[in-house]
Amino acid sequence: MTAPEGAQPRRIVQRGLWFEEFEVGAIYEHRPGRTMTEADNVLFTTLTMNTQALHLDAHFADAQPPFNQRLVNSMFTLSTLVGLSVAQLTQGTLVGNLGFEEFGTPAPVFHGDTLYAETLVLEKRESRSRPGEGIVKLAHTGRNQHGVVVATAVRKALVRLEPTA
């Protein structure tokens, strides 16, 4: 189907949510998930100068109970958990992260695991010091392909209000 002759089609640009669009109590499911590969883990770990052998040394990690294999770097897991939410929640509407109140890794992530994320909007309020912006408190949960919670994070983000016409 095409636009009527002479008419320009309406263009829709993908973006995150304006402050007003965040619904307190709603859970946003972020798809697709992200499979964590060995190459991802080694690259992230070495880029961040983390020399932890549990991430880099297969021989060492294989001999360490209770997992007896390399673990995906927890900071890579956190970055991916938040990153999975960007397209749906904050792409183009985020001013900046204000901080993380909590971060947990209740179960390990291994090479080949797929991380799926969801975000619960805990609260929001307009900024008292920055007109046109609001603060949103978000609880992110990451589950592996088996539904096991492998990462949690609570953060506050500064988000733009919808521009007025």
Side-chain angles (χ1 to χ4, degrees):
M1 179 167 234
T2 60
E5 190 173 324
Q8 292 295 318
R10 188 167 77 102
R11 292 191 176 273
I12 300 170
V13 177
Q14 180 178 337
R15 63 163 170 82
L17 303 177
W18 299 115
F19 173 80
E20 296 87 349
E21 294 175 306
F22 280 92
E23 183 181 333
V24 173
I27 296 175
Y28 297 86
E29 295 182 2
H30 313 301
R31 298 298 183 267
R34 175 67 157 81
T35 301
M36 313 295 259
T37 69
E38 177 183 10
D40 296 329
N41 188 45
V42 170
L43 179 61
F44 183 92
T45 299
T46 55
L47 283 173
T48 58
M49 301 297 291
N50 181 341
T51 58
Q52 177 52 253
L54 287 172
H55 304 312
L56 296 172
D57 185 331
H59 178 74
F60 173 83
D62 289 351
Q64 302 302 308
F67 305 115
N68 298 95
Q69 62 180 303
R70 283 173 291 167
L71 302 175
V72 170
N73 185 316
S74 60
M75 298 312 294
F76 176 49
T77 301
L78 170 64
S79 295
T80 305
L81 174 61
V82 172
L84 285 167
S85 74
V86 168
Q88 189 175 13
L89 298 183
T90 60
Q91 180 66 45
T93 59
L94 179 78
V95 177
N97 284 318
L98 299 177
F100 287 83
E101 296 178 12
E102 300 172 31
F103 172 56
T105 53
V109 177
F110 302 110
H111 299 154
D113 282 350
T114 300
L115 183 64
Y116 294 96
E118 64 185 42
T119 301
L120 169 64
V121 179
L122 296 174
E123 59 189 56
K124 70 178 192 176
R125 69 171 177 81
E126 287 193 35
S127 173
R128 291 184 281 270
S129 62
R130 296 179 62 104
E133 298 170 357
I135 298 168
V136 182
K137 187 173 183 181
L138 306 167
H140 302 286
T141 301
R143 290 183 171 79
N144 67 15
Q145 67 275 14
H146 305 295
V148 175
V149 175
V150 296
T152 58
V154 176
R155 72 176 171 127
K156 286 185 179 175
L158 191 60
V159 179
R160 290 181 177 85
L161 275 67
E162 185 171 7
T164 56

